[in-house]
């Protein structure tokens, strides 16, 4: 073995062992083609062996709970999603089951239901073919599979709009744990893909994450006194849980109200029925959920 190869090998071993010469862990904006499946001595909980994420990316996600992959979705696709959202706001398209949430602080004299600034969120867009394309983009699912495995279900879809605040702080959105809304497990196989559709910074309210909180317990949630597209994915091998008697029980009544109204269903539908109904297979086989 040459000296240069020996030095390279030593640095690699030290990096794996976390020694004094180990490289600092950083979130790379794009994936590396080097497989991490056979070069790590530790066990990973939140990522699966794959040839997409680098070792550094896997370690970063395990510790922090998020990754930034820049320019993953093309500008052309983002423009198409924006156009479809605007059509929904103008009521030019009305996909069944779509939940449109408007700013309730806007006065009646100012109210125009077709103005996109009135809408701050649309949920459950799985029946809208154009928006749902986001959940099936191959470049997106390539990364999702690193967390869920090959059998992938799209479980919760959402477009968030950030119009100018009305002055009543209605645009504020408190920190929360998405798991509060989901009656399926295991938590290790749930992941969200979130894509900004316009330039974001601290001044216009981008996504905020507290690193490492994915490893903590699920906290009680309630509502406070006071433009992105995303989809939550999970492994189709997962299972449903009963939320009765848990901190998630209060979300069951709220979700049942939204879904029964959107689809004109009766109140006998269960929370499990709702999730089985709105889940969409986007890759692999629908094995359990």
């Amino acid at each position: 073995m040459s000296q240069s190869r020996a030095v390279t090998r030593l640095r690699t071993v030290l990096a794996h062992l976390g020694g004094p010469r180990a490289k600092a862990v950083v979130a790379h904006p794009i994936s590396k083609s080097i497989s991490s499946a056979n070069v790590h001595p530790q066990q990973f909980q939140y990522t699966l062996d794959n040839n997409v994420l680098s070792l550094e990316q896997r370690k970063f996600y395990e510790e922090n709970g998020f990754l930034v992959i820049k320019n993953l979705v093309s500008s052309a696709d983002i423009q198409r999603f924006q156009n479809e959202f605007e059509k929904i706001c103008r009521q030019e398209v009305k996909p069944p089951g779509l939940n449109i949430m408007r700013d309730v602080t806007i006065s009646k004299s100012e109210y125009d239901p077709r103005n996109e600034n009135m809408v701050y969120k649309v949920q459950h867009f799985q029946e809208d073919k154009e928006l749902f394309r986001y959940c099936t983009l191959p470049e997106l699912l390539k990364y999702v599979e690193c967390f869920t495995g090959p059998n992938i279900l799209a479980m919760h879809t959402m477009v968030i709009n950030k119009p100018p605040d009305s002055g009543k702080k209605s645009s504020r959105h408190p920190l929360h744990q998405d798991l509060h809304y989901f009656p399926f497990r295991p938590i290790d196989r749930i992941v969200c893909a979130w894509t900004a559709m316009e330039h974001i910074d601290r001044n216009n309210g981008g996504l905020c994450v507290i690193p490492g909180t994915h490893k903590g317990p699920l906290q009680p949630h309630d509502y406070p006194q006071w433009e992105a597209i995303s989809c939550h994915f999970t492994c189709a091998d997962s299972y449903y849980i009963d939320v009765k008697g848990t901190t998630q029980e209060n979300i069951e009544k709220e979700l049942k109200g939204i879904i029964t109204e959107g689809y004109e269903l009766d109140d006998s539908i269960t929370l499990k029925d709702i999730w089985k109904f709105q889940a969409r297979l986007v890759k692999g086989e629908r094995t359990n959920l």
Side-chain angles (χ1 to χ4, degrees), residues 54 138 154 199 203 211 238 277:
S54 68
H199 176 76
N203 295 319
S238 299
F277 175 68

Side-chain angles (χ1 to χ4, degrees), residues 7-26:
V7 171
T8 300
R9 179 60 180 162
L10 177 59
R11 286 176 176 170
T12 301
V13 173
L14 287 173
H16 294 169
L17 296 176
R21 290 195 178 189
K23 293 170 61 178
V25 176
V26 296

Side-chain angles (χ1 to χ4, degrees), residues 27-47:
H28 295 287
I30 59 174
S31 65
K32 294 182 179 179
S33 59
I34 302 174
S35 172
S36 58
N38 300 313
V39 295
H40 60 81
Q42 72 270 46
Q43 292 294 316
F44 290 102
Q45 178 179 351
Y46 301 101
T47 59

Side-chain angles (χ1 to χ4, degrees), residues 1 23-24 41 62 79 84 112 125 149 175 190 198 213 263 282 285:
M1 180 181 293
K23 293 170 61 178
E62 293 284 330
Q79 186 61 58
E84 185 70 3
D112 180 357
F125 62 66
L175 291 168
I190 302 173
E198 59 185 33
T213 49
Y263 284 98
V282 290
E285 299 179 5

Side-chain angles (χ1 to χ4, degrees), residues 4 29 40 58 104 111 131 144 161 186 191 233 238 250 253 261:
S4 61
H40 60 81
R58 293 188 70 179
V104 296
Y111 185 75
L131 286 181
V144 170
N161 192 30
V191 69
F233 299 90
S238 299
N250 65 324
K253 182 178 180 181
E261 180 180 352

